[in-house]
Amino acid sequence: MTEPTSQTAAPGRCRRTPPQSPRPEALRRVAALLDGGERFVLTCHARPDGDAVGSLLGLGLALEAAGRDATLYMEAPVPPHLAFLPGSGRVVTEPPVPLAPGTVLVVLDCGEAGRVGRGGERLAREATSVVVLDHHLTQGEFGRDVVRYVDPEVFATGAIVLWVLNELGWPVSAEIATNLYAAIVSDTGAFQHNNTTALAFAMAEYLVSRGADPSGVARALYQSWPERRLRLLGLVLHTLEVRAGGRIGLLQATPEMFRTTGAREADTEDFVNYCRSIDSVEVAVFIREVHAGNVAVSLRSKTTYDVAALAQEFGGGGHFHAAGFRRSGSAGEIRALLLERLARDFDDLRP
């Protein structure tokens, strides 16, 4: 029998190394910079999801285990539903001022300094070097040269972090594996989204072999929500509207709904997917206005519609099938603008 390689494993055997990166040159540049550094600040996009937090914590724990000084910075505390991830208590919400000489800034799951939130652009200016590990289509400027590993075809930034660790030859502990597994589960929608590939399952297999607990991660991500989330969801589902012959679905959360239920914005994670679950819907829209005048919009599609391009027109970005943006105004105003724009692509859409 042929000995299994890193790409194929014999039945009943655990994968001993993760699948290899399709971009070895970019990977080597990133690994060399990380291997040569001693002091790091790691950050990700504001209002982070499971991929952003899992990637940040996974790489941060690996750097610390390798004897590096790593500060893990986000502009707000880790969202409550992700606080179970190992190392979440290490995250700080104030960036170092100023950065110490020789500091390398690593930006995860985010392609531009402005999306890091408070202090992102200053960190990019003061850092000795900047590394970006990301899988989003939307990439922006950092005001300087950046070493990037960006692959919009890969399902999660957590996968890129795993490739980096493998290139460095650094061990993957059970804590690191849990973070990266959670990153992959989050951005593949528990392996349900159409970005789920054989590679996603192969990486998941490897991470489970390194100590990630699939049942524990699933329970923490999907079965540990507070009651207020369900009460908010009940109100939101009453706003369901289907347009364009069933191809566009809209949901909305108002400031009054948040006040009534005591829910927070983090409690609305994945609400947009209830809209996308309708059999006829191609484009799902979830508009939430936590505080009057500040609107966030989540966009999802099933097959051929590019919601990242739509989000970019409103100042946002994301992936082909999952994107979003924030904008000042009322939910009603943003809804009207979105429907007007979507009418160009869905000719039977009526105001």
Side-chain angles (χ1 to χ4, degrees), residues 11-348:
R13 296 177 113 177
C14 290
R15 183 177 296 277
R16 291 173 299 178
T17 60
Q20 300 302 303
S21 162
R23 304 188 179 196
E25 288 300 323
L27 188 64
R28 280 192 284 270
R29 287 195 296 272
V30 169
L33 210 161
L34 296 185
D35 197 33
E38 292 295 332
R39 184 177 291 108
F40 298 85
V41 170
L42 277 59
T43 190
C44 61
H45 58 79
R47 293 167 293 276
D49 55 11
D51 187 24
V53 176
S55 298
L56 178 109
L57 296 176
L59 182 57
L61 291 177
L63 285 166
E64 289 181 354
R68 284 12 180 230
D69 182 338
T71 298
L72 313 184
Y73 163 66
M74 298 186 338
E75 73 164 4
V78 173
H81 69 287
L82 297 173
F84 75 95
L85 290 171
S88 63
R90 291 175 165 83
V91 172
V92 300
T93 56
E94 291 296 333
V97 181
L99 285 189
T103 299
V104 177
L105 176 67
V106 184
V107 182
L108 297 118
D109 205 39
C110 177
E112 52 190 302
R115 296 196 186 281
V116 167
R118 185 180 64 256
E121 293 177 348
R122 178 187 64 79
L123 291 173
R125 286 194 307 270
E126 293 183 1
T128 299
S129 305
V130 177
V131 175
V132 171
L133 306 179
D134 191 22
H135 69 134
H136 289 88
L137 289 166
T138 309
Q139 294 294 309
E141 295 299 322
F142 281 81
R144 55 178 302 160
D145 291 338
V146 176
V147 176
R148 296 182 191 256
Y149 189 113
V150 177
D151 186 354
E153 298 300 315
V154 77
F155 41 85
T157 296
I160 299 173
V161 172
L162 182 56
W163 279 327
V164 170
L165 299 185
N166 187 53
E167 179 69 21
L168 287 163
W170 292 356
V172 175
S173 66
E175 291 77 16
I176 294 169
T178 296
N179 280 303
L180 300 185
Y181 180 84
I184 292 170
V185 169
S186 295
D187 255 26
T188 60
F191 305 105
Q192 296 179 75
H193 295 342
N194 53 14
N195 63 349
T196 304
T197 62
L199 177 61
F201 286 110
M203 283 199 164
E205 176 197 6
Y206 172 76
L207 292 167
V208 170
S209 78
R210 305 309 299 171
D213 174 10
S215 176
V217 170
R219 187 167 56 251
L221 286 177
Y222 305 117
Q223 299 170 21
S224 299
W225 289 103
E227 178 185 340
R228 63 178 184 260
R229 168 182 162 91
L230 275 295
R231 298 202 177 278
L232 177 63
L233 177 61
L235 298 177
V236 168
L237 290 176
H238 277 292
T239 72
L240 175 65
E241 183 179 2
V242 179
R243 306 290 294 270
R247 291 178 294 165
I248 296 173
L250 299 99
L251 289 171
Q252 184 171 323
T254 66
E256 180 60 26
M257 291 178 187
F258 285 100
R259 283 195 296 271
T260 299
T261 61
R264 306 167 184 169
E265 185 172 6
D267 295 324
T268 66
E269 181 79 13
D270 290 331
F271 275 18
V272 67
N273 289 326
Y274 286 94
C275 201
R276 182 165 59 174
S277 70
I278 299 171
D279 56 0
S280 63
V281 166
E282 167 61 22
V283 176
V285 179
F286 174 47
I287 302 170
R288 57 195 182 276
E289 187 178 7
V290 183
H291 304 291
N294 295 307
V295 177
V297 178
S298 296
L299 302 167
R300 299 291 186 271
S301 66
K302 281 183 183 171
T303 55
T304 60
Y305 194 88
D306 183 359
V307 291
L310 176 62
Q312 282 186 279
E313 294 183 30
F314 289 85
H319 306 290
F320 190 97
H321 292 293
F325 65 89
R326 289 180 178 266
R327 189 164 175 145
S328 297
S330 71
E333 291 167 348
I334 304 304
R335 177 185 172 280
L337 288 171
L338 269 172
L339 288 174
E340 180 182 358
R341 171 60 188 84
L342 285 166
R344 293 187 230 155
D345 301 322
F346 295 83
D347 54 15
D348 55 351

